[in-house]
């Protein structure tokens, strides 16, 4: 057995095998505060300038190796180099050495504090944030002054990067050609680690608890971005197995990528739209590269996170217009703000809730804060003039909520019309079905809107009453629970009876084991992470509706999850043997057996 | 774009140009970076004057702390041997919206 197997959240798929390399371990090094005698001042000043020059040379060298797909990161390094050259930083530090007799590291700290004061007075939050870059640059110079080699430069061969957390500034300086994978304790799907890993197509895990306790520099580790695991010091047998899996997966990925632009059409001619879930406008390239037919779920939260003020309408509109225009004529579905106590900007102090998942969030939060809601609606409407835009409201629990949300939309439209601003007056409006209440009244809700989108992640949690991030009960989170399947079917049938389209945008849509069942139900479109699109399109193109309907009929008669899993596995073994090797979620999840 | 050349002050060569921040985001990191980089290429002392603040155009930090938004008017004031070239170059940079 391996020393330890840790689990985390996979943010980029694939398998990497290599030596672990920790960064940022010395981050909190103590800064010496001393004064120097008059005859030492000249020496201290030259130490200061040497340290600046050293860091500049290193950054310039790093800059040379930034690949084209990370252009933005390259520009960030340029900014850092300019800050190093800036007399405001080195010059002021030099002044403090001269006038106060401080040692170089302390003098620089004081110069940084001056800048902090200057930046702190600025209203523009974006510019205020640039202070972080000053800090990063100063840290590097101080590390040189006090003799701590910055971690990253010690990276000699190819390695798997481990860290408590990686800031954007850290990631820009990694020599990307040497990185085989990432694992961090902090971070979510939208962290820079994830975005960077996906754009480089290397496996990465975030949220790996106890990473620092169980992994040491130089340990041999396997990052399995398929199942979300880290294997620490595997045995020879395990290593061999993973080597094979890695090679096999690469082969498979290449093969499916070649056909990803073909339509998602079954053997017997049934078409289903395969769209992408995205968080950032920057992800559109991967949507298009992976054969996505549009954006089925644009999560608009990112623009609101990690900041103290709310974004204004122009800022939002600019992003939304970019997205709509780039994707056009493909469709983009905007989900209105889905935030609440679980994740939000600090200015909303009221959001200190005992039970955030059931509290003031998503549409509830927006209806309580109409100004914020209307700002976003206006921005989405403005984007609708530039592309094929729809919008949908999250976490709807009843008809009245839909009507209230639509009333705000109508008001936003009326305002824009009066102001002579262009928008699509017929913008389709949908709702997310993620509460059992919405399922039970789906036939009424269907009369209020143009489409449904089933959000299975929350729907499963609320239906089974399980928090899937809770280690004690997460085994109960079962996409193939008979209740889950019946729930989804109810919604699909209600939508079709009312003559509206229904899509599904939870993780179930990217699970090759579930997709044939969804097809059997007659789902109109699915939306999933862009990287999973080629694999799912391949599944769809290799099946036929007749088999899918048969499978659906069989699973709907099952009383337990294990029975359903067995049926689904049989089906997959028979029709899609390649997929079985990589997507083992079901095999491992069966213990619930409910 | 306004141009306002004035030569001479204490026998030195002072060049002044009025410019408008025409790019969409104002003097944010990238434009401020380009501006400072360009300014550093000249011998001349170059000041940016905005809203009663005078800052060194060669310092990205100074330029950033001006926080000049889109549509704002600034003055470039260059003095020294290559003041005219410097003022022209920076004025062009503003006119081209920092090539964004």
């Amino acid at each position: 057995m391996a020393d330890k197997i840790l689990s985390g959240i996979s943010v980029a798929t694939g398998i990497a095998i290599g030596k672990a390399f920790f960064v940022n371990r010395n981050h909190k090094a103590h800064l010496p505060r001393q004064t120097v005698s008059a005859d030492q001042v000249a020496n201290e000043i030259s130490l200061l300038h040497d340290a600046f020059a050293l860091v500049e040379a290193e950054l310039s060298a790093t800059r040379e190796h930034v690949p084209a797909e990370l252009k933005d990161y390259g520009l960030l390094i340029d900014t850092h180099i300019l800050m190093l050259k800036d007399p405001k930083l080195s010059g002021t530090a030099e002044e403090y050495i001269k006038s106060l007799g401080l040692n170089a590291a302390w003098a620089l700290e004081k110069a940084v504090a001056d800048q902090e004061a200057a930046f702190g007075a600025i209203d523009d939050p974006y510019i205020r944030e640039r202070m972080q870059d000053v800090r990063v640059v100063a840290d590097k110079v101080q590390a040189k002054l006090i003799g701590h080699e910055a971690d990253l430069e010690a990276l000699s061969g190819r390695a798997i990067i481990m860290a408590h957390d990686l800031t954007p500034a850290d990631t820009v300086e990694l020599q990307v050609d040497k990185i085989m994978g990432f694992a961090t304790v902090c971070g979510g799907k939208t962290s820079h680690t994830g975005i960077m890993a996906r754009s480089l197509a290397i496996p990465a895990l975030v949220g790996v608890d106890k990473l620092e306790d169980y992994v040491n520099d130089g340990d041999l580790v396997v990052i399995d971005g398929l199942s979300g695991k880290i294997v620490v010091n595997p045995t020879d047998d395990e290593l061999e197995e993973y080597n094979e899996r890695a090679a096999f997966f690469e082969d498979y990925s290449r093969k499916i990528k070649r056909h990803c632009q073909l339509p998602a059409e079954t053997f017997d001619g049934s078409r289903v739209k395969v769209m992408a879930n995205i968080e950032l406008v920057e992800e559109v390239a991967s949507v298009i590269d992976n054969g996505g037919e549009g954006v089925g779920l644009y999560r608009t939260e990112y623009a609101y996170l990690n900041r103290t003020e709310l974004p204004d309408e122009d800022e939002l509109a600019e992003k939304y217009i970019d997205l709509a225009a780039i994707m056009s004529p493909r469709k983009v579905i905007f989900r209105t703000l889905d935030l609440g106590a679980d994740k939000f900007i600090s200015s909303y102090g009221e959001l200190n809730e005992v039970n955030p998942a059931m509290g003031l969030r998503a549409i509830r939060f927006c209806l309580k804060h109409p100004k914020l809601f209307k700002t976003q609606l206006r921005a989405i409407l403005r984007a609708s003039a530039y592309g094929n835009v729809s919008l949908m409201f999250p976490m709807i629990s009843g008809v009245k909520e839909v009507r209230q949300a639509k009333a705000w939309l109508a008001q936003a439209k009326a305002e824009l019309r009066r102001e002579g601003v262009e928008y699509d007056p017929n913008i389709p409006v949908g709702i997310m079905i993620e509460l059992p209440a919405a399922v039970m009244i789906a036939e009424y809700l269907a009369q209020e809107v143009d489409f449904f989108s089933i959000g299975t992640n929350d729907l499963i949690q609320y239906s089974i009453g399980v928090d899937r991030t809770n280690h004690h009960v997460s085994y109960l989170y079962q996409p193939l629970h008979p209740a889950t399947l019946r729930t989804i079917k109810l919604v699909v049938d209600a939508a079709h009876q009312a003559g509206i389209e229904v899509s599904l945008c939870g993780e179930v849509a990217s699970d090759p084991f579930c997709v044939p069942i969804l097809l059997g139900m007659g789902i109109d479109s699915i939306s999933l992470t862009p990287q999973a699109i080629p694999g799912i399109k391949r599944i769809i193109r290799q099946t036929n509706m007749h088999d899918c309907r048969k499978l659906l009929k069989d699973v709907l008669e099952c009383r337990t999850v294990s029975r359903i899993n067995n049926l689904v596995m049989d089906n997959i073994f028979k029709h899609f043997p390649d997929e079985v090797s990589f997507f083992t979620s079901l095999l491992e999840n069966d213990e619930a057996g409910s | 774009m306004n141009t306002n050349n004035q030569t001479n002050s204490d026998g030195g060569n002072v060049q002044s140009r009025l410019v408008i921040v025409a790019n969409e985001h104002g003097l944010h990191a990238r434009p401020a970076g380009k501006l400072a980089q360009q300014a550093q290429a000249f011998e001349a002392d170059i000041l940016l004057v905005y809203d009663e603040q005078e800052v060194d155009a060669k310092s990205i930090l100074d330029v950033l702390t001006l926080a000049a938004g889109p549509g704002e008017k600034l003055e470039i004031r260059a003095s020294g041997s290559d003041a005219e070239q410097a003022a022209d170059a920076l004025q062009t940079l503003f006119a081209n919206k920092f090539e964004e």
Side-chain angles (χ1 to χ4, degrees), chain A residues 282-418:
Chain A
E282 289 75 20
E283 290 176 272
V284 290
S286 72
V287 177
I288 295 168
D289 283 356
N290 285 298
E293 295 170 68
V295 172
L297 169 62
Y298 174 51
R299 302 188 171 99
T300 56
E301 292 76 61
Y302 196 75
Y304 294 80
L305 296 169
N306 305 319
R307 55 192 293 167
T308 47
E309 290 102 22
L310 293 167
D312 65 21
E313 181 183 321
D314 286 344
E315 181 187 337
L316 293 175
E318 188 190 321
K319 259 199 202 99
Y320 295 174
I321 288 168
D322 272 356
L323 177 59
I326 299 168
M327 287 305 293
S328 179
R330 300 177 187 86
K331 187 149 106 178
V332 180
I333 304 178
F334 286 77
R335 179 178 69 186
T336 59
L337 192 55
D338 185 4
L339 278 184
D342 49 342
K343 39 182 178 178
F344 206 40
I345 39 181
S346 48
S347 51
Y348 283 81
E350 67 186 69
L351 291 176
N352 201 355
E353 298 187 345
V354 178
N355 201 344
M358 298 193 182
L360 184 64
R361 49 169 289 210
I363 195 67
R364 305 165 180 185
F365 181 81
C366 288
L367 291 175
K368 188 108 189 265
H369 297 279
K371 195 161 160 266
L372 168 150
F373 190 36
K374 217 165 63 189
T375 300
Q376 186 183 31
L377 291 176
R378 284 177 52 111
I380 295 172
L381 284 169
R382 280 167 63 180
S384 72
Y386 292 83
N388 192 359
V389 166
S390 308
L391 65 79
M392 62 184 177
F393 304 119
M395 218 190 169
I396 290 292
S397 69
V399 170
K400 190 173 168 196
E401 242 168 11
V402 184
R403 290 182 182 160
Q404 283 175 330
K406 280 168 68 184
W408 285 112
L409 180 66
Q411 205 181 101
K413 282 182 179 176
E415 285 175 12
L416 292 175
R417 196 168 47 239
R418 278 198 299 277

Side-chain angles (χ1 to χ4, degrees), chain A residues 71-72 75 78-79 82-83 85-89 115 118-119 122-124 126-127 130 133-134 318, chain B residues 24-25 27-30 32-34 36-37 40 56 58-68:
Chain A
K71 194 168 128 266
D72 282 353
L75 292 169
D78 289 339
T79 306
L82 274 168
M83 286 177 176
K85 288 181 175 167
D86 198 316
K88 275 280 146 2
L89 214 52
Q115 285 305 317
F119 275 86
I122 294 172
D123 287 333
D124 185 330
Y126 176 85
I127 290 185
R130 300 279 69 74
D133 296 322
V134 179
E318 188 190 321
Chain B
E24 232 176 312
H25 302 285
L27 281 183
H28 272 173
R30 269 180 233 175
K34 278 194 180 138
Q37 208 162 17
Q40 284 166 13
D56 182 357
K58 296 181 184 184
S59 161
I60 181 176
L61 294 171
D62 264 11
V63 177
L64 274 174
T65 48
L66 279 182

Side-chain angles (χ1 to χ4, degrees), chain A residues 129 156 256 429 442:
Chain A
E129 276 169 27
S156 52
I256 59 171
V429 177

Side-chain angles (χ1 to χ4, degrees), chain A residues 59-67 77:
Chain A
L59 283 183
S60 303
T62 309
R63 178 70 177 95
E64 302 271 299
H65 295 104
V66 175
I77 299 182

Side-chain angles (χ1 to χ4, degrees), chain A residues 192-342:
Chain A
H192 273 263
T193 312
I195 295 160
M196 174 134 163
R198 286 196 291 273
S199 56
L200 294 172
I202 54 176
L205 301 182
V206 299
V208 186
D209 209 19
K210 309 260 184 208
L211 180 69
E212 291 150 306
D213 298 347
Y214 290 110
V215 186
N216 290 304
D217 269 332
D219 280 348
L220 185 64
V221 291
V222 177
I223 301 273
D224 184 348
L226 299 167
S227 65
K229 286 202 175 64
I230 300 182
V231 185
V232 187
N233 292 323
T235 63
D236 286 351
D237 284 352
E238 285 168 325
L239 196 58
E240 196 181 329
E241 190 195 317
Y242 271 108
N243 265 317
E244 263 174 38
R245 255 164 81 78
F248 205 41
F249 182 73
E250 260 171 47
D251 234 35
Y252 167 80
S253 307
R254 260 198 304 275
K255 197 164 70 185
I256 59 171
K257 190 81 185 269
R258 273 204 296 274
H259 304 293
C260 75
Q261 301 295 341
L262 296 170
E265 187 175 274
T266 60
F267 276 144
D268 44 355
S270 235
R271 283 287 298 269
V272 58
K273 283 193 280 291
V274 179
M275 321 256 280
N277 298 342
I278 65 167
E279 228 124 8
L280 301 170
V281 175
E282 289 75 20
E283 290 176 272
V284 290
S286 72
V287 177
I288 295 168
D289 283 356
N290 285 298
E293 295 170 68
V295 172
L297 169 62
Y298 174 51
R299 302 188 171 99
T300 56
E301 292 76 61
Y302 196 75
Y304 294 80
L305 296 169
N306 305 319
R307 55 192 293 167
T308 47
E309 290 102 22
L310 293 167
D312 65 21
E313 181 183 321
D314 286 344
E315 181 187 337
L316 293 175
E318 188 190 321
K319 259 199 202 99
Y320 295 174
I321 288 168
D322 272 356
L323 177 59
I326 299 168
M327 287 305 293
S328 179
R330 300 177 187 86
K331 187 149 106 178
V332 180
I333 304 178
F334 286 77
R335 179 178 69 186
T336 59
L337 192 55
D338 185 4
L339 278 184
D342 49 342

Side-chain angles (χ1 to χ4, degrees), chain A residues 497-510:
Chain A
Q497 259 156 34
I500 64 171
E501 288 207 347
V502 55
S503 73
L504 188 143
C505 62
E507 268 163 37
V508 170
S510 55

